[in-house]
Amino acid sequence: DPKIIQKPKYLVAVTGSEKILICEQYLGHNAMYWYRQSAKKPLEFMFSYSYQKLMDNQTASSRFQPQSSKKNHLDLQITALKPDDSATYFCASSQEGAYAEQFFGPGTRLTVL
Amino acid sequence: GDSVTQTEGPVTVSESESLIINCTYSATSIAYPNLFWYVRYPGEGLQLLLKVITAGQKGSSRGFEATYNKETTSFHLQKASVQESDSAVYYCALGDSGGSNAKLTFGKGTKLSVKS
């Protein structure tokens, strides 16, 4: 059974619209993260949450807003979408602690036209 | 800022040959870096291969080894004899033990193809 679920797998959006990327983890972890990978670029850290509270935000734009309605959920709302937002977005989770292994979801591939 | 540079792929190696994928890092904002190798096999998600949190130590898993060298700021991945099942994309990553929830800084990934 998948331990980290990301929905949808693929997403196509038009410029200016708003989308929500879903992430649920069933590993019992307290920390969750979002990363992004654009074409030809490395995986890039966006946010980290611990016990549903924002710990670190490395995303310059306020158009990206994480939402944690439950301890094992960390959705990502993206508003006013731009073509440059096209990327694969990965959710990850870990136990508390700096040395803990991060487990990654399968990703949501977003294309903005 | 912090960064990771690794061997540009794709890399093609014959089965039973040795492999080295280079990784160097720059940790300008991290006092005590942790180093990781992640791997993505075809059709699967990203998963941890090995990690080392102390300079001078070596990590190993599935026949792969990497030594954390603080002097040369390197964390090269090596395997003495690769198999076809090692074909995957390998990512070197840098973590920060200073915070309670460490962000990871990744390299671009190195695609390895092992031919039989």
Side-chain angles (χ1 to χ4, degrees):
Chain A
D1 290 335
K3 303 299 185 187
I4 301 183
I5 297 171
Q6 288 191 246
K7 294 184 285 192
K9 189 171 181 180
Y10 301 101
L11 187 56
V12 179
V14 296
T15 298
S17 66
E18 172 184 313
K19 292 293 180 187
I20 295 180
L21 281 55
I22 305 294
C23 176
E24 305 169 13
Q25 57 92 1
Y26 296 93
L27 295 164
H29 291 160
N30 297 315
M32 296 186 72
Y33 312 84
W34 278 102
Y35 289 82
R36 169 175 57 189
Q37 187 169 29
S38 306
K40 309 281 187 192
K41 289 188 179 179
L43 266 147
E44 176 190 20
F45 173 86
M46 299 178 74
F47 299 96
S48 67
Y49 267 63
S50 176
Y51 292 95
Q52 296 185 264
K53 295 206 182 310
L54 179 67
M55 298 296 291
D56 194 0
N57 176 359
Q58 299 282 322
T59 303
S61 174
S62 59
R63 296 186 299 107
F64 295 85
Q65 290 293 329
Q67 299 171 342
S68 181
S69 59
K70 297 181 192 177
K71 181 184 157 187
N72 67 326
H73 283 230
L74 187 64
D75 300 335
L76 181 64
Q77 179 185 40
I78 314 175
T79 58
L81 279 160
K82 303 177 180 180
D84 277 353
D85 297 331
S86 297
T88 301
Y89 290 81
F90 293 94
C91 175
S93 70
S94 72
Q95 296 283 17
E96 201 67 49
Y99 310 128
E101 175 183 352
Q102 291 183 24
F103 292 79
F104 284 78
T108 292
R109 185 180 292 182
L110 171 66
T111 302
V112 183
L113 303 174
Chain B
D2 306 319
S3 65
V4 173
T5 303
Q6 60 182 103
T7 300
E8 268 203 49
V11 172
T12 302
V13 178
S14 296
E15 206 164 25
S16 77
E17 285 190 350
S18 64
L19 169 74
I20 180 164
I21 298 177
N22 290 328
C23 172
T24 56
Y25 67 90
S26 172
T28 56
S29 68
I30 302 173
Y32 301 100
N34 303 326
L35 292 165
F36 304 80
W37 278 100
Y38 278 80
V39 59
R40 191 195 333 262
Y41 296 103
E44 298 185 19
L46 196 64
Q47 56 186 280
L48 180 67
L49 179 62
L50 57 87
K51 71 177 182 183
V52 179
I53 61 176
T54 305
Q57 299 294 309
K58 179 168 70 177
S60 60
S61 174
R62 306 180 206 178
F64 287 90
E65 294 182 341
T67 299
Y68 179 169
N69 189 320
K70 188 177 179 181
E71 285 67 39
T72 60
T73 62
S74 66
F75 191 55
H76 306 319
L77 183 68
Q78 302 183 72
K79 189 171 186 180
S81 176
V82 297
Q83 302 170 336
E84 205 170 342
S85 58
D86 294 326
S87 297
V89 182
Y90 293 82
Y91 296 87
C92 185
L94 170 68
D96 181 0
S97 63
S100 60
N101 290 294
K103 76 167 193 177
L104 294 174
T105 299
F106 283 87
K108 288 186 177 181
T110 302
K111 183 174 182 180
L112 171 67
S113 295
V114 179
K115 54 182 185 179
S116 56

